Amino acid sequence: MKPWEDPRTPWKTKSAFMSYIRGCLRKAWSTHPVKLAVLKNQRKQVPNPNPRGNKRTVWGFQCPLCDKEDILKNAQVDHINPAGTLADISDIQQFAENLLVVVEEDLRLICKDCNSALAYSDKNNVSFEEAKATKKAISLQKDKVDHEFLEVAGITPASNAKERRQQIIDHLMKHK
């Protein structure tokens, strides 16, 4: 009997159980010694972005995907080869091995924007560049500046949000 099929367990659905397992594995990942070594070994001193800061430099990194330099707080440790999906009990062993059985060369420090775009790219089977453009378009719409962005780019904004998003994506993809 599957855990979500047993009324004595707290999981009402397969999704709830898999979320619990994913959370347990991510908690193990948060203190993984190799992950912590990557954070330590791939960091470097960067100019302090805080104008009122006492130090001229702080710990930071340079994202290998976008070349942006940022403070370490904005870094995420990325698996160069993704851990994969965890949608079924049969996925648990492979996901855990991919997530936790790693060496420093399997990991890299990247910025949150690139990590988000990589996740979107994997999930939606699109290129990294298209994922970045889509995430940017979503952000512009969320901030309610999509009309302004398109007008500044010399594009007449479409009448609905879905078409405006596609206009932004197309524009960004042309001007990478």
Side-chain angles (χ1 to χ4, degrees), residues 2-123:
K2 307 282 190 223
W4 55 90
E5 294 170 348
D6 187 336
R8 297 169 296 170
T9 68
W11 301 286
K12 303 295 179 222
T13 64
K14 177 181 179 181
S15 177
F17 179 74
M18 297 312 296
S19 290
Y20 170 74
I21 297 297
R22 190 176 298 107
C24 291
L25 291 170
R26 295 244 181 247
K27 187 172 184 178
W29 172 244
S30 71
T31 58
H32 195 290
V34 177
K35 175 189 176 185
L36 299 178
V38 166
L39 282 165
K40 182 179 178 186
N41 296 334
Q42 292 185 20
R43 68 185 179 173
K44 67 178 192 168
Q45 288 289 306
V46 299
N48 189 346
N50 182 354
R52 295 184 294 184
N54 294 333
K55 298 179 178 180
R56 288 186 320 124
T57 61
V58 293
W59 286 113
F61 71 104
Q62 185 159 1
C63 178
L65 301 179
C66 68
D67 276 340
K68 185 172 94 175
E69 200 172 69
D70 206 345
I71 60 174
L72 200 56
K73 176 179 102 172
N74 296 327
Q76 294 184 330
V77 179
D78 174 56
H79 285 74
I80 295 170
N81 297 310
T85 60
L86 186 56
D88 193 70
I89 287 180
S90 62
D91 299 334
I92 294 172
Q93 181 172 345
Q94 190 64 56
F95 183 84
E97 286 179 14
N98 292 348
L99 182 70
L100 303 172
V101 183
V102 293
V103 294
E104 284 189 53
E105 292 76 23
D106 297 329
L107 307 171
R108 61 187 169 190
L109 284 182
I110 63 174
C111 68
K112 290 179 180 180
D113 288 343
C114 285
N115 197 35
S116 176
L118 277 174
Y120 187 93
S121 171
D122 288 344
K123 185 176 183 180

Side-chain angles (χ1 to χ4, degrees), residues 98-157:
N98 292 348
L99 182 70
L100 303 172
V101 183
V102 293
V103 294
E104 284 189 53
E105 292 76 23
D106 297 329
L107 307 171
R108 61 187 169 190
L109 284 182
I110 63 174
C111 68
K112 290 179 180 180
D113 288 343
C114 285
N115 197 35
S116 176
L118 277 174
Y120 187 93
S121 171
D122 288 344
K123 185 176 183 180
N124 295 287
N125 200 27
V126 297
S127 71
F128 175 69
E129 290 77 19
E130 186 176 348
K132 279 193 87 147
T134 303
K135 297 294 280 184
K136 175 72 172 173
I138 291 168
S139 175
L140 290 168
Q141 287 185 314
K142 187 177 176 184
D143 294 341
K144 300 192 185 314
V145 293
D146 52 325
H147 283 272
E148 181 182 337
F149 177 88
L150 289 166
E151 289 167 355
V152 168
I155 301 168
T156 303

